[in-house]
Amino acid sequence: MTVTTDVVQGAERQCPECGEPVTGGGRYIAWCAACEWNIDPEVREERPPGRIERIRRRLAQRHGEQLFTELTTEGTGGGTAAGQRPRRGAAGALATALALVVHGVTFALLAGGLVLLVAGWGKGVLPVLGALLLGLAVVLRPRFASLAKVEKQDLPVLRRADAPRLFALLDEVAEGVGTTGVRAVVIDADTNASVSTYGIRQHRVLHLGLGLWETLSPQERVALLGHEFGHYAHGDTRHSLLVGNAFRSLSTWRYTLAPEPADSLLGHFVNLATALPRLLVDGVLVLLDQLTLRGSQRSEYLADTTAARAAGTEAAAGLMNRLLVSDGVTGELRREAVAARTRIGGARREDPAEGLWERLAAHAASVPEHEYERLRRVAERRGHSVDSTHPPTHLRHRRLAGGEPCEAAIVLDPARAAEVHAELAGARRTLAREVVRG
C-alpha cells in the first residue's frame, strides 16, 4: 500500500484506497479513519534494539495485553476499586530473594576484606587481597540518590517553605491515595514526571517536568500526581528499598565491569578476566528485570486507577492523551530553542524565554481529537508505551475510558491552580531560559 506524508489543505478529500473522506490535514497528517490509509507514514530513524531488548519489549507488550484483559475482567477498568495491591506471588518472592543475594555479595566482599585485612596482617599477600576486596565492596556498594547532586545541576529545587500551596496539594493527593507526600520537588523541562527517593532515610522527592505539567489542565495535573503517588500506595516492587537498590547495584556492577578499549596486552587481559563476571551480572540483571516486569506493569495500571479516583476518569484519560503527544511537545521545545538561536519570530524573539510555556500549552491544546485517535491507533500498531516497564499507552487509555466513570475526589479549582502556578513562576523563568539556550 502506498503511503504519503502529504497533508490536506482546505476542503474535504477522498481516500485513494476506499473513497471515504480523509481525516486531518493542515498541520496534521491526513489519514483515513475507515481503512487506515496513511495512518503511520513517519519513518523512524532509530538504532535497532539488541536481542535482549527485543525480547524485553515483546514480553512487556504481552504482559500489558494480558493484564489489560485480567483487570477488565475483574471489573477495575474505571478505577473504582480502592486499596488493590499488586499480586507479588512466586515472581515477587524470587525477585526479593535475588535482591538479597545481590546485596549479600556486596556484604560478603566487605566482610571478607575486613577478615583478610585484620587476621592476615603481616602474613604475605592476605592484607593486600583484603584491601582489594574492600575496594571492590566500596565501588560496588548500594548507592543512594543525593538531592545535593541535583542542586549542583542548577535545577530548581522547591521545599515546603518555597511553595506551601504546591506542597499542600501534594499532601492532599498523597493522603487521598493512601500514602505520604514528598520532602522536595525538583523541577526540570522534561515531558515526564516521577517520584523517587534519596538519602539513607529514603526521603521522597517529586521530579516534575514542565514540558508535561504545563500542557495539562488542572484536573489532569491532579491525575498525574495521583498516578505517581499511586506507585507507593500500591507497593510497586521496583520502588521498594530492597529491589530498587538491587537494580542500582547491578547497574553499577555492569558499568564497572564494562569492557574498555584494549590498546595493550594488559587491556585485553583485563577484558578477558572480567568477561565471565560481566556475563553473570548481565544475566542476573535480566532475570531480576523479568521477575518484576509483570508486577511493574500491573502497578502502572493500578496507578492509573488511583489517578482516576483522585482526579476523575475524564482527567486520567486526558493524561493518557497528553502522553501520546509527548514526543511532539519535546519537538516543540527543540523548535523554540532553534528559533531563539536563529532569531526567528521578529519582536517576539527579543526575549525568547518570555511566554515559552504559554506557547507550549497552546500548542498542546490545539491538537484535535482526530489526531489523538490517529496516535492511539498508531500506538496499537507500534506497541507504544512510555517505556518497557509501562503497559501500552492505548490500552491504559482504553481501560480508563471504557470502565465505570469515577468522580474526582480532589478538585483543583481555578483559584488554587493560580496559586500553585504563581509558586512555580521562578522555576518556569529559569527553565525557559535554559530551554532557549538549547
Side-chain angles (χ1 to χ4, degrees), residues 154-166:
D154 294 328
L155 289 175
V157 179
L158 302 179
R159 292 179 172 80
R160 290 186 178 272
D162 304 316
R165 292 296 186 179
L166 172 62

Side-chain angles (χ1 to χ4, degrees), residues 256-420:
T256 304
L257 295 170
E260 297 290 339
D263 299 327
S264 64
L265 184 61
L266 178 61
H268 285 290
F269 175 77
V270 171
N271 286 341
L272 182 62
T274 57
L276 185 59
R278 184 165 60 249
L279 289 174
L280 180 61
V281 168
D282 283 346
V284 174
L285 186 57
V286 169
L287 178 58
L288 185 61
D289 179 76
Q290 294 306 312
L291 287 172
T292 58
L293 181 58
R294 182 180 172 87
S296 179
Q297 291 208 341
R298 186 179 181 90
S299 294
E300 290 292 341
Y301 276 127
L302 295 181
D304 290 341
T305 294
T306 304
R309 291 206 312 271
T313 300
E314 182 180 354
L319 174 61
M320 295 300 106
N321 281 337
R322 297 305 190 197
L323 294 178
L324 282 174
V325 298
S326 60
D327 288 345
V329 171
T330 301
E332 191 68 15
L333 286 174
R334 292 197 189 101
R335 283 189 286 274
E336 288 281 350
V338 171
R341 290 198 299 272
T342 56
R343 312 301 293 176
I344 297 173
R348 192 189 73 177
R349 298 298 171 176
E350 291 178 3
D351 184 3
E354 186 69 28
L356 169 69
W357 302 113
E358 287 78 8
R359 294 194 296 274
L360 188 71
H363 167 78
S366 69
V367 178
E369 176 55 36
H370 63 71
E371 178 65 6
Y372 283 119
E373 177 61 25
R374 185 187 74 83
L375 290 171
R376 283 192 288 270
R377 296 195 194 187
V378 170
E380 187 167 1
R381 289 186 171 203
R382 296 182 182 179
H384 173 277
S385 62
V386 176
D387 57 42
S388 58
T389 66
H390 288 68
T393 307
H394 70 280
L395 292 182
R396 296 171 64 190
H397 181 277
R398 186 185 302 169
R399 177 171 173 264
L400 288 166
E404 183 179 348
C406 188
E407 295 296 325
I410 299 169
V411 176
L412 185 58
D413 58 66
R416 289 183 67 194
E419 292 172 342
V420 172

Side-chain angles (χ1 to χ4, degrees), residues 238-256:
R238 292 198 185 208
H239 284 73
S240 69
L241 176 63
L242 189 66
V243 176
N245 273 315
F247 271 112
R248 285 189 282 272
S249 291
L250 286 168
S251 297
T252 302
W253 296 6
R254 192 180 191 189
Y255 174 81
T256 304

Side-chain angles (χ1 to χ4, degrees), residues 12 56 74 106 132 142 186 248-249 301 318:
E12 182 179 285
R56 193 170 189 262
E74 291 171 8
T106 305
L132 178 61
V186 177
R248 285 189 282 272
S249 291
Y301 276 127

